[in-house]
Each structure stands twice: as C-alpha cells, then as structure tokens.
Amino acid sequence: MKRSIPSLSVVLMLGALGCASAPPPPQAASSPSPANATDTQKDPPAEAKAAESASPLPEAKPKVFGFRDFLSIAGVRAGATLDDVEAAWGKGERRGDKLRYEDGPTVSVMPSGGLMIDIHVGAEGWVKRHANGPLSIWGKTCEEAAAALDFTDVVGAYTTCKHYEKDLFLDVTLMCSQGRVGTVAVVWYPFDPNDAVNPLPPDHCN
C-alpha cells in the first residue's frame, strides 16, 4: 500500500516544535537508491493480480456410460439394418449378412434378427473418429473402462453384461488383454414383448 502524504498543516506544526533538530535516521550502506525504492513499491502487474486471485478450475470428471448409451453406436441406433450402417459409416466389404470395415468393426446380422457390432483389435483409427460416445472405453485400461461404466465395477479378460428393454435385449461384451480393452462387442436383439417373460430378467454381468 502506498504511504499517505502528510498534510501541509502537520508539516508546519512539526517544524514549529523543532522536529528538525531530531537526529537523522541511520542510513544502511545497502539502502536502495530513490529510483530503486520507487520500483519496489510499484503495484504488481494486473496479469499477476489476476493469476493470484483466479481460483483453479475444477478437473473435468470422466463421463460415465450406462446400458442405454450402448443403444446407439457412432450414429447407428438399435433396430438398424446393414443398409443403415453403410449410410452412416460408408461402404464396407459386404458378404452376405456381414459387413466388414478394413480399419473398423465387423457388423453381423444375427440369425434371429438384430445386429452385432464387433469393434476389435485393429480398429484404433476408426474408434478415434467415433470416440465421442461409449466407444471411448475402447483402448482404455481395464480399470479406466470399469470406472467409465455404471453397470460393472470390473472389466476382465471377458466381461459380458446384459440389459433388457421392453422389446430389446442388449449385450455389451468387453475383452481386456495386456491391461487394455481391445474388443467391445454390442448385440441388439429385438423380441416381441408379447412373447417375453414377465418380469424381464434383471441387468447383470458375468
């Protein structure tokens, strides 16, 4: 804080009382020159003040995915056909009921209907282009993947988790190898609600 300047009346009063005869203050040999003294009293730059007063930003929490997040994969939703997949992801190598992408997943039509999407080893480039959803767990460590899922606490060498909607069975299978998730396989299996057991089986992993 800058020192206040005494008023003129106070200065005159001190002079009248003979304050000038008081002994001068001792001078240190290393006293800074007036110019340096002025520099040391300068306020810190505004940028420094802002940096000191700014509170640290909270760390972003990793996103946690639930079963329903796996009902859509990279713009393809449950109930899609191979034609829908190609419309979303481009042309792949199509043979019968299988659609393969050179650097990406293999999509298969299940015998009873529905699709299986298998994102396996070698799909790193494709995953990077579509890792704005649950596929972001691909390539993570087993522990990171488990922390990013709200339906399992552990991801091991082979972890399969099952969930039922009113007309759809969802299976999410994860394979962890050498400490990282190298396969994410998602199965969408539709069924007629009239033929389903009631109540539906609970969500579970094994």
Side-chain angles (χ1 to χ4, degrees), residues 142-179:
C142 310
E143 294 76 17
E144 289 171 336
L149 300 170
D150 70 359
F151 50 81
T152 184
D153 294 327
V154 177
V155 173
Y158 183 89
T159 301
T160 181
C161 298
K162 297 171 174 56
H163 166 76
Y164 290 85
E165 298 281 315
K166 65 179 182 179
D167 57 354
L168 181 78
F169 164 69
L170 168 69
D171 183 292
V172 178
T173 296
L174 309 173
M175 298 182 190
C176 217
S177 177
Q178 297 181 346

Side-chain angles (χ1 to χ4, degrees), residues 20-45:
S21 62
Q27 294 186 3
S30 60
S31 297
S33 65
N36 290 338
T38 304
D39 289 342
T40 59
Q41 294 175 6
K42 285 183 180 179
D43 287 337

